[in-house]
Amino acid sequence: MSVSVLSFTRPLDGVSGLLQVASLLGFALLLLKAAQLYLHRQWLFKAVQHFPSPPSHWLFGHIQEFQDGQELQKLQKRAEKYPCASPRWLWGNKVILEVYDPDYMKVILGSLPTQPHCGPGYGLLLLNGQKWFQHRRMLTPAFHYDILKPYVWLMADSVHVMLDKWEDLIRQNSYLEIFEHVSLMTLDTIMKCAFSYKGSHQAERISQSYIQAIQDLSNLFFSRVRNAFHQNDIIYKLTPEGRWNHRACQLAHQHTDRVIKLRKAQLQEEGALEKVRSKRHLDFLDILLFARTEDGSSLSDKDLRAEVDTSMFEGHDTTASGISWVLYTLATHPEHQQMCRQEIQILLGDGASITWDHLDQMPYTTMCIKEALRLYPPVPGINRDLNKPITFPDGRSLPKGFQVSLSIYALHHNPNVWPKPEEFDPSWFAPGSARHSHAFLPFSGGARNCIGKQFAMNEMKVEVALTLLRFELVPDPSRVPVPWLRIVLKSKNGIHLHLRKLL
Ligand code: HEM
């Protein structure tokens, strides 16, 4: 009996011994991880110790600020209360420094080694290091003014299509939600200008689903950032939101692939660069397809698609936001609207032809557009990872590896920079008026500023000029837009205006 017991207990001892060792090891690993997290948290605390912020929850940090839809107002309050910058704890061990001071912006944007915080990405907007430099150099010729000049006519054409549609629509109901129309129009414009696309997007259903996909991607990105359980790619892919994100990406890519495929086929028929150049003007897509790096290689299909996606996204959603908010601010400030209209009537008469040369001759309208971009910056914030330690002019510093968020919205609403920041005051932008070089940054600044700035300003001027010649804009008091922090600034309830056709 004792023998049999012995022969049974020995293997059991072995298993339980193994289990004991395994659980000890697991416990030690857990302790190690906890120590690591603790030390990292201490490192973060030390890094931001000189930057005060509102009290935060030990686990959820300031996540509440994200969730009640008051994010923009909260950011503004921070700018009033905590000078220059303040840390925002996301959850557990994640903190970002919110920056809204011109001197701080200057230091960060002037410091080349910082990189956009988006993880490994493709397309100029998300690229880093040497590859970004190479792509930026390849794309710069596409935004040369010789290329941009003929676009004014194409922009005017798209705007007229939209305004004709508005004339029809207001016969039934003079109240319109404009953002959606403007988005279709700007997509139409970018497709025509950058890709010489011949169809009219404003009429096509496919582009509406593309716009929907872009909007979904933007919303999903924001809700993912706020959800601690969605940070892991594998887990995220399994969630309903992750699957939705995947479908929206596929839809956007299909649209892009279609554009590239059509052009590749066309170029095969047309032949070499010089032959194409002699026949027609080169557009953005031609430049991408003919672009070569120093070693003579062309862009890979993946890089090509990423650049096209970036331009389509950056080139239509941002300008749609800019234009819609400009029209809204003019609607709410009729005296300024009338001054712009007078300026444009004198310049353009009936507006039948608007050219590149006209765009420099509408100073008051330009001032109003800039003031609207201050109040409603289409890109409300951008993130950067610090590749090296940084010291600000007031002596406070941040270590390498830290993440900062440049809040363009809070900068533009910072009362220390713009007294009475909520007032619409175009005189801020009167010719000759002085301000800090980094107080107004709708297009960011430094080496990674917006490559499409001139394109966007032209499009906004053409759109505003032609609209004011045809319509009087009046706000809809029952549906006041609520600015909504997304990658691109939107309104939570759309932008509703009352349009009156001018005689
Ligand atoms: C009102 C309209 C626009 C606004 C407010 C705007 C704003 C910005 C901002 C703030 C950035 C910096 C982003 C960052 O550093 O993370 C940026 C970058 C960029 N924008 Fe725009 N943008 C506008 C229109 C356009 C258009 C029309 C195009 C192209 C046709 C364009 C193409 C780009 C690209 C490619 C970059 C990345 C540049 C780089 O990293 O070197 N943008 N834009």
Side-chain angles (χ1 to χ4, degrees):
M1 178 73 186
S2 62
V3 172
S4 69
V5 166
L6 261 182
S7 57
F8 254 98
T9 50
R10 268 205 196 115
L12 267 183
D13 271 357
V15 171
S16 71
L18 263 177
L19 279 176
Q20 269 178 9
V21 173
S23 46
L24 267 175
L25 217 69
F27 186 64
L29 277 176
L30 217 69
L31 269 183
L32 201 72
K33 191 74 200 159
Q36 226 178 22
L37 286 174
Y38 175 79
L39 287 176
H40 184 63
R41 197 170 160 85
Q42 291 307 104
W43 180 79
L44 292 174
F45 269 127
K46 193 159 175 272
V48 295
Q49 64 182 333
H50 298 300
F51 296 93
S53 72
S56 69
H57 186 276
W58 70 272
L59 180 60
F60 300 117
H62 295 111
I63 212 90
Q64 195 57 31
E65 283 188 47
F66 280 119
Q67 278 169 348
D68 58 8
Q70 297 282 309
E71 200 168 355
L72 290 170
Q73 289 88 326
K74 293 265 170 73
L75 264 172
Q76 206 173 327
K77 287 255 147 39
R78 279 180 177 232
E80 284 162 21
K81 196 160 172 197
Y82 307 103
C84 307
S86 72
R88 172 189 273 196
W89 289 88
L90 293 182
W91 53 78
N93 265 12
K94 199 163 161 62
V95 63
I96 295 179
L97 190 77
E98 290 285 352
V99 174
Y100 31 73
D101 174 78
D103 284 326
Y104 273 49
M105 296 275 184
K106 193 171 173 183
V107 171
I108 295 167
L109 291 172
S111 157
L112 252 184
T114 60
Q115 58 187 45
H117 175 81
C118 292
Y122 307 98
L124 192 60
L125 187 67
L126 307 183
L127 283 174
N128 292 316
Q130 190 56 27
K131 197 158 180 188
W132 163 76
F133 187 70
Q134 220 175 45
H135 280 218
R136 176 103 188 183
R137 241 188 20 203
M138 278 169 147
L139 293 195
T140 300
F143 294 91
H144 189 271
Y145 78 89
D146 273 343
I147 303 276
L148 297 184
K149 257 183 176 177
Y151 289 171
V152 175
W153 182 81
L154 295 172
M155 288 167 176
D157 189 49
S158 298
V159 174
H160 281 305
V161 172
M162 182 183 75
L163 298 181
D164 289 345
K165 197 162 69 177
W166 285 3
E167 274 194 31
D168 282 345
L169 287 171
I170 62 168
R171 282 196 196 107
Q172 288 134 34
N173 183 356
S174 61
Y175 287 90
L176 270 188
E177 195 294 301
I178 60 161
F179 204 104
E180 210 174 298
H181 294 282
V182 176
S183 287
L184 276 177
M185 187 274 292
T186 55
L187 181 63
D188 203 21
T189 307
I190 191 77
M191 291 290 290
K192 282 181 186 155
C193 297
F195 310 115
S196 304
Y197 190 76
K198 295 287 184 303
S200 168
H201 267 259
Q202 298 186 62
E204 283 180 21
R205 273 197 49 207
I206 182 148
S207 53
Q208 282 173 8
S209 55
Y210 172 72
I211 288 181
Q212 188 58 51
I214 294 289
Q215 278 166 2
D216 288 349
L217 287 172
S218 163
N219 291 339
L220 289 165
F221 170 82
F222 256 72
S223 78
R224 185 178 180 185
V225 173
R226 284 152 182 72
N227 191 326
F229 304 106
H230 286 181
Q231 299 311 301
N232 181 288
D233 283 344
I234 299 169
I235 297 175
Y236 184 63
K237 275 182 191 153
L238 296 174
T239 64
E241 279 200 12
R243 290 201 297 273
W244 184 4
N245 189 63
H246 180 68
R247 278 197 305 276
C249 267
Q250 271 185 326
L251 219 146
H253 284 164
Q254 275 166 14
H255 186 266
T256 316
D257 287 343
R258 198 166 67 107
V259 174
I260 297 175
K261 210 170 134 198
L262 281 172
R263 177 59 56 86
K264 275 190 167 170
Q266 188 189 343
L267 286 183
Q268 260 186 351
E269 280 174 23
E270 287 180 326
L273 173 63
E274 287 318 315
K275 236 167 129 187
V276 179
R277 203 197 297 270
S278 67
K279 266 202 285 186
R280 58 176 174 82
H281 90 266
L282 295 180
D283 67 13
F284 177 79
L285 192 51
D286 293 320
I287 289 174
L288 282 183
L289 284 164
F290 285 120
R292 296 288 176 271
T293 54
E294 284 95 59
D295 62 5
S297 56
S298 53
L299 286 173
S300 69
D301 277 359
K302 195 171 160 195
D303 283 346
L304 200 62
R305 181 163 85 180
E307 291 303 350
V308 172
D309 273 346
T310 307
S311 317
M312 289 222 253
F313 174 70
E314 270 290 320
H316 99 271
D317 214 21
T318 47
T319 34
S321 167
I323 290 168
S324 305
W325 287 109
V326 174
L327 296 183
Y328 170 70
T329 40
L330 290 177
T332 45
H333 297 87
E335 65 289 7
H336 295 288
Q337 184 185 151
Q338 190 48 27
M339 282 165 76
C340 292
R341 185 174 292 110
Q342 270 166 8
E343 177 178 79
I344 290 156
Q345 278 168 340
I346 292 168
L347 184 68
L348 297 180
D350 64 357
S353 76
I354 181 166
T355 63
W356 171 270
D357 293 333
H358 288 131
L359 302 182
D360 275 347
Q361 298 173 49
M362 37 178 93
Y364 200 74
T365 310
T366 309
M367 283 160 61
C368 288
I369 292 175
K370 287 187 177 166
E371 176 63 346
L373 288 176
R374 179 185 73 78
L375 281 171
Y376 301 104
V379 178
I382 55 182
N383 284 3
R384 290 284 186 269
D385 285 339
L386 301 182
N387 287 11
K388 63 167 193 182
I390 209 161
T391 301
F392 298 109
D394 59 9
R396 295 189 286 183
S397 59
L398 285 176
K400 177 181 166 177
F402 209 85
Q403 199 183 327
V404 290
S405 162
L406 308 185
S407 177
I408 297 173
Y409 185 91
L411 170 76
H412 288 183
H413 290 253
N414 186 341
N416 302 316
V417 184
W418 306 92
K420 300 194 191 151
E422 295 315 303
E423 263 179 30
F424 179 77
D425 182 1
S427 72
W428 284 119
F429 297 97
S433 54
R435 71 180 157 271
H436 191 296
S437 63
H438 284 65
F440 176 63
L441 292 176
F443 297 101
S444 183
R448 290 204 78 141
N449 69 347
C450 175
I451 201 170
K453 172 182 170 179
Q454 181 76 49
F455 180 103
M457 281 305 290
N458 291 352
E459 190 175 2
M460 286 191 280
K461 287 180 192 177
V462 170
E463 208 287 341
V464 171
L466 297 181
T467 304
L468 292 186
L469 286 181
R470 278 220 227 175
F471 296 102
E472 184 190 345
L473 310 170
V474 183
D476 177 349
S478 66
R479 281 173 290 194
V480 177
V482 180
W484 196 24
L485 187 64
R486 285 293 177 263
I487 300 177
V488 169
L489 189 72
K490 300 272 161 72
S491 160
K492 218 164 189 171
N493 50 346
I495 297 188
H496 295 265
L497 294 184
H498 174 46
L499 301 187
R500 285 189 198 134
K501 174 89 178 70
L502 293 169
L503 297 174

